[in-house]
């Protein structure tokens, strides 16, 4: 782990081009720019970019492990933290230190095995509802359909009900998420509310209406006669208590609910679109996946999801800030610097993943990856608390798709990565051609077994 030091600052080398040019390259050409820098400077280098300033990029598993295991007194959130402006001060994305540890204890129980079994059933219902509307024999984009599946799933899992408020959130959330993702990586001044015509003002209007809807759902949950028996995330959070017996303030619950809706739907749906983009270019894998699903297995399917995350990460970095001067490996990083664990470079390293450029799910069959080389969910105290939920959603959705349809392979070139702000999406939104299967195999396992294996 990193240690505090008073030694002279010693940073890895990096490009000397102007700050704005570095930032533009990293933001707009996310995969290409970082890959080129990795080839030029190796697994560790220094950038100077807008919003985050001087930034030390690491990808070596040893340094990643040291960073993720460093005490929270030494590293924390980046100074220009996106959570505060976009998701609110009560979001887990805006917490660090003891406050983060305490919040994680409250948020983890809703994502345990018992709750996950119910969420898997919801996911299957939403996946089947969506895919049964898909056209046959015509190419179409999957990103928006996948977003509908994941949004409807998270809405039902979080609130446990249907109604007009949820219907409005279904319409409002995709617009707010897309807009918020675009402005999240811009300087904080852009995210300030300077009136209805400013970017910050536009997002503030989205946020105000979402808070109104969430408050209504919060009050509905409290007034439910069966409140204490409910298993949705909202009810569990309303009943949760810190170690001192105090509840989470309502304003913080609203921020956390918004965080779950945003983080729990865009990233998962994008990874699903990428997975479809990948498997269409591997016809033998498609055959094997279909056979496995028909037989009730899931090992290759889970390995395929993991390989999709490795080769096409939706989020390309896990960010930290040095709270004091620290030694990380051979480098001495000054207080205030950003430390960026590059998920892209870490998961593309030949030393960790032989033939790393090749899409090969078999590398993960019976062979769990190094948790500090395969890091799509980040790591340490700030690892995504919804990792199991996201994996379950992807598995259940892909299982339903493979059970209902034959996927038509393609020889088209790979879809190019497209930066959508915070996330990286397939350039053509994960295009797909399907044909309904005439003789669907009977399911050997149901969603309960899927959730238990996630």
């Amino acid at each position: 782990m990193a240690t505090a030091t008073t030694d002279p600052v010693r940073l890895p080398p990096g490009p000397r081009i102007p700050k704005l040019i570095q930032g533009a390259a990293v933001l707009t050409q996310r995969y290409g720019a970082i890959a080129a820098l990795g080839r030029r400077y190796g697994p560790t280098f220094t950038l100077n970019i807008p919003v985050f300033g001087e930034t030390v990029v690491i990808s070596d598993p040893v340094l990643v492990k040291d960073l993720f295991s460093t005490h929270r007194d030494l590293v924390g959130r980046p100074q220009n933290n996106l959570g505060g402006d976009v998701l609110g001060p009560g979001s887990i994305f805006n917490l660090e230190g003891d406050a983060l540890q305490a919040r994680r204890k409250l948020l983890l129980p809703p994502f345990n095995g018992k709750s996950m079994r119910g969420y898997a059933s919801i996911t299957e219902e939403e996946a089947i509802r969506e895919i049964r509307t898909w056209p046959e024999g015509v190419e179409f984009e999957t990103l928006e359909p996948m977003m509908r599946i994941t949004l409807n799933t998270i809405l039902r899992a979080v609130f446990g009900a249907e109604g007009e408020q949820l219907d409005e959130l279904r319409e409002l959330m995709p617009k707010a998420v897309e807009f918020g993702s675009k402005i999240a990586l811009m300087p904080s001044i852009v995210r300030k509310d300077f009136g209805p015509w400013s970017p910050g003002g536009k997002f503030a209007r989205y946020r105000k209406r979402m808070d109104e809807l969430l408050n209504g759902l919060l009050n509905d949950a409290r007034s439910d006669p069966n409140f204490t028996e409910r298993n949705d995330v909202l009810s569990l959070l309303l009943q949760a208590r810190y170690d001192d017996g105090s509840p989470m303030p309502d304003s913080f619950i609203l921020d956390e609910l918004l965080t779950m809706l945003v983080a729990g739907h865009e990233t998962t749906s994008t990874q699903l679109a990428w997975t479809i983009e990948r498997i269409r270019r591997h016809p033998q894998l498609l055959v094997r996946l279909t056979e496995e699903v028909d037989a009730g297995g899931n090992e290759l399917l889970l390995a395929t999801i993991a390989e999709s995350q490795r080769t096409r990460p939706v989020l390309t970095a896990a960010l930290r800030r040095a709270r004091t001067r620290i030694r990380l490996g051979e480098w001495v990083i000054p207080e205030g610097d950003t430390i960026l664990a590059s998920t892209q470079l870490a998961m593309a390293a030949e030393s960790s993943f032989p033939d790393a450029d090749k899409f090969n799910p078999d590398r993960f069959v019976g062979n769990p990856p190094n948790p500090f080389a395969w890091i799509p969910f980040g790591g340490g105290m700030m690892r995504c608390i919804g990792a199991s939920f996201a994996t379950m959603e992807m598995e259940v959705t892909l299982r339903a798709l493979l059970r209902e349809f034959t996927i038509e392979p393609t020889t088209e070139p790979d879809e190019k990565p497209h930066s959508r702000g915070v996330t990286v999406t397939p350039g053509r939104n994960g295009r797909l051609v399907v044909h309904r299967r005439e003789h669907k195999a009977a399911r050997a396992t149901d969603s309960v077994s899927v959730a238990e294996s996630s």
Side-chain angles (χ1 to χ4, degrees):
M1 65 182 66
T3 56
T5 183
T6 57
D7 290 348
V9 170
R10 183 170 184 264
L11 298 176
R16 301 293 184 181
I17 57 178
K19 183 177 184 177
L20 287 176
I21 297 177
Q22 291 189 43
V26 170
L27 179 62
T28 61
Q29 303 294 326
R30 195 90 57 88
Y31 281 6
I34 292 296
L37 288 165
R39 288 191 296 270
R40 171 67 177 84
Y41 296 102
T44 310
F45 51 89
T46 303
L47 295 175
N48 191 16
I49 53 180
V51 180
F52 299 112
E54 191 169 75
T55 300
V56 177
V57 179
I58 65 171
S59 58
D60 181 277
V62 174
L63 290 186
V64 171
K65 180 180 181 180
D66 284 347
L67 178 66
F68 287 167
S69 59
T70 295
H71 195 276
R72 56 186 179 270
D73 288 344
L74 301 183
V75 297
R77 300 278 185 191
Q79 287 180 318
N80 291 298
N81 182 32
L82 310 179
D85 292 336
V86 175
L87 297 173
S91 166
I92 193 171
F93 286 178
N94 202 38
L95 302 179
E96 54 185 332
D98 293 341
L100 173 61
Q101 185 178 36
R103 181 66 57 80
R104 285 182 68 88
K105 288 179 66 176
L106 288 190
L107 296 181
L108 284 172
F111 297 102
N112 65 22
K114 180 180 178 181
S115 298
M116 289 285 286
R117 288 192 287 274
Y119 303 152
S121 298
I122 291 171
T123 304
E124 184 170 37
E125 290 173 11
E126 292 300 334
I128 291 174
R129 179 189 302 178
E130 176 63 38
I131 66 179
R132 285 182 176 168
T133 68
W134 288 358
E136 292 187 64
V138 229
E139 193 171 62
F140 63 97
E141 298 176 353
T142 61
L143 184 58
E144 284 197 14
M146 292 304 177
M147 285 191 172
R148 285 193 291 270
I149 292 171
T150 58
L151 178 59
N152 288 338
T153 296
I154 196 71
L155 283 172
R156 290 179 59 190
V158 168
F159 300 110
E162 299 282 351
E164 292 182 4
Q165 291 162 314
L166 289 188
D167 290 340
E168 186 173 348
L169 277 173
R170 284 190 183 94
E171 294 295 321
L172 186 62
M173 280 297 301
K175 300 174 186 176
V177 168
E178 183 175 4
F179 188 75
S181 183
K182 288 177 179 177
I183 67 171
L185 293 180
M186 296 182 181
S188 59
I189 190 71
V190 176
R191 303 194 297 270
K192 299 295 184 184
D193 183 358
F194 292 111
W197 300 106
S198 67
K202 182 177 179 179
F203 187 80
R205 292 199 303 278
Y206 280 133
R207 179 63 201 259
K208 182 175 183 293
R209 182 53 185 157
M210 285 188 291
D211 279 352
E212 291 170 349
L213 294 169
L214 294 176
N215 257 314
L217 290 163
L218 186 148
N219 292 330
D220 289 347
R222 279 202 174 106
S223 62
D224 186 343
N226 299 316
F227 170 61
T228 58
E229 300 172 14
R230 288 173 48 156
N231 200 38
D232 54 273
V233 175
L234 171 57
S235 299
L236 294 175
L237 289 184
L238 287 171
Q239 298 174 65
R241 294 294 183 270
Y242 288 107
D243 289 343
D244 64 0
S246 63
M248 193 187 308
D250 283 0
S251 63
F252 287 5
I253 291 179
L254 295 182
D255 287 346
E256 289 293 10
L257 294 175
L258 181 61
T259 300
M260 291 178 191
L261 293 175
V262 171
H265 113 86
E266 184 183 24
T267 52
T268 306
S269 55
T270 303
Q271 197 69 64
L272 278 165
W274 269 126
T275 304
I276 287 170
E277 188 274 345
R278 292 287 77 207
I279 63 177
R280 283 196 71 203
R281 286 153 178 81
H282 297 81
Q284 291 305 311
L285 174 62
L286 274 173
V287 172
R288 292 173 61 201
L289 285 170
T290 301
E291 290 174 348
E292 181 186 64
V293 165
D294 288 350
N298 70 349
E299 187 176 36
L300 180 60
L301 182 56
L302 288 172
T304 300
I305 293 168
E307 182 72 342
S308 168
Q309 292 173 296
R310 186 190 73 81
T311 57
R312 296 294 188 273
V314 171
L315 301 174
T316 57
L319 298 168
R320 303 289 189 271
R321 169 180 56 89
R323 302 183 71 179
T324 187
R325 184 175 298 189
I326 60 172
R327 176 178 292 279
L328 184 63
E330 63 181 296
W331 312 109
V332 177
I333 303 171
E335 177 182 353
D337 268 21
T338 299
I339 307 166
L340 186 156
S342 173
T343 55
Q344 176 190 340
L345 291 181
M347 297 192 295
E350 195 72 20
S351 57
S352 297
F353 305 100
D355 295 321
D357 289 341
K358 183 180 179 182
F359 183 77
N360 177 24
D362 284 303
R363 74 173 76 244
F364 293 133
V365 174
N367 183 33
N370 178 340
F372 303 106
W374 185 84
I375 51 172
F377 297 112
M381 183 61 70
M382 298 180 195
R383 187 177 189 271
C384 174
I385 62 167
S388 295
F389 187 94
T391 302
M392 175 277 295
E393 282 186 290
M394 289 187 280
E395 182 189 355
V396 171
T397 300
L398 291 169
R399 177 182 292 277
L401 170 56
L402 290 163
R403 201 171 55 226
E404 294 281 334
F405 292 110
T406 297
I407 295 176
E408 186 175 301
T410 182
T411 57
E412 288 289 317
D414 296 349
E415 294 191 32
K416 295 181 178 179
H418 168 70
S419 178
R420 187 171 153 149
V422 173
T423 58
V424 180
T425 65
R428 300 179 67 217
N429 293 327
R431 299 180 75 85
L432 176 64
V433 180
V434 295
H435 303 275
R436 192 169 298 279
R437 297 179 64 182
E438 293 181 4
H439 303 289
K440 291 179 292 184
R443 273 177 265 171
T445 57
D446 59 15
S447 296
V448 171
S449 63
V450 169
E452 289 175 336
S453 66
S454 297

